[in-house]
Amino acid sequence: MALPDELDENVLLRRVCGGDRLAFQALYRSYFSRLARFLDRMTRNVPLVEEIINDTMMVVWQKAATFDGSCKLSTWIFAIAYRQALKALRGLDVPLEPQEDQPGEAGAEPEHALAARQLQRGVSRALDALPMEQRMVVSLTYYHGMAYQEIADTMGCPVNTVKTRMFHARQKLKDMLSDHMEEMQ
């Protein structure tokens, strides 16, 4: 059963099929931040993220009529973004560098803010240290709420491959984060 947001997105996509630029703009806005978070984890390159989002949404504009509803619209769009990102990463000739950490919330207790930033940095470094396929499975699961089948559809691999990648990612994260927690104490 489709949720109200999914119905709205499907309505927008049908309007996009008819060339409705305002519907496309609404769909673009709806997906921009979600795709940006996903692609940032994958590429660690803000200008590249924006380029990939634009390329992704261009494909959505051009291929809207080919969406057959066999999966959720978000799965279809994330799959396009994933393939566009892989293509963009293959074309890069510079190493990927992690971005600077975001500052903590203003007004928080200094000790708590420092501990939160340290934990955030530790988790971010641990995620960045994972192989890309494992990092994407974790990102799609925990940051985008996708089920394993949706991730498999997005990444173009079997569900068991997604499960294996998640198992190995969790093991590596557990090891890396336990080391980080010992450093903080």
Side-chain angles (χ1 to χ4, degrees), residues 73-89:
L73 179 60
S74 60
T75 302
W76 183 67
I77 292 174
F78 272 81
I80 294 168
Y82 180 74
R83 289 189 301 273
Q84 291 293 329
L86 289 177
K87 189 178 356 174
L89 288 171

Side-chain angles (χ1 to χ4, degrees), residues 12-175:
L12 286 175
L13 187 67
R14 281 195 296 279
R15 289 176 47 200
V16 168
C17 289
D20 185 334
R21 291 181 186 273
L22 291 176
F24 177 72
Q25 185 178 37
L27 195 63
Y28 186 99
R29 286 184 180 155
S30 171
Y31 275 89
F32 185 87
S33 62
R34 290 187 278 174
L35 290 173
R37 284 189 307 270
F38 168 65
L39 294 167
D40 182 56
R41 274 279 166 226
M42 190 171 178
T43 66
R44 298 179 234 135
N45 182 324
V46 172
L48 185 61
V49 166
E50 292 173 5
E51 183 179 322
I52 294 167
I53 291 172
N54 288 335
D55 292 346
T56 298
M57 296 310 288
M58 180 58 72
V59 171
V60 169
W61 173 258
Q62 293 170 341
K63 304 283 185 176
T66 67
F67 177 68
D68 62 6
S70 62
C71 62
K72 290 172 40 177
L73 179 60
S74 60
T75 302
W76 183 67
I77 292 174
F78 272 81
I80 294 168
Y82 180 74
R83 289 189 301 273
Q84 291 293 329
L86 289 177
K87 189 178 356 174
L89 288 171
R90 280 192 295 269
L92 284 182
D93 60 352
V94 294
L96 298 175
E97 295 294 328
Q99 293 179 352
E100 293 298 313
D101 295 316
Q102 300 294 323
E105 291 183 24
E109 293 290 327
E111 304 84 34
H112 295 295
L114 176 62
R117 280 194 307 272
Q118 288 175 334
L119 180 60
Q120 183 181 10
R121 268 195 301 268
V123 169
S124 184
R125 274 195 303 264
L127 283 171
D128 288 344
L130 292 174
M132 185 182 59
E133 291 83 9
Q134 293 175 12
R135 189 170 61 243
M136 292 302 89
V137 168
V138 170
S139 176
L140 290 170
T141 300
Y142 294 108
Y143 295 106
H144 299 283
M146 287 189 180
Y148 286 169
Q149 183 61 56
E150 292 175 282
I151 296 169
D153 293 343
T154 297
M155 296 181 77
C157 64
V159 173
N160 284 338
T161 301
V162 172
K163 291 178 182 178
T164 301
R165 288 174 180 168
M166 180 61 83
F167 173 80
H168 291 292
R170 285 180 176 152
Q171 290 301 112
K172 289 177 184 174
L173 288 171
K174 180 181 170 186
D175 293 343

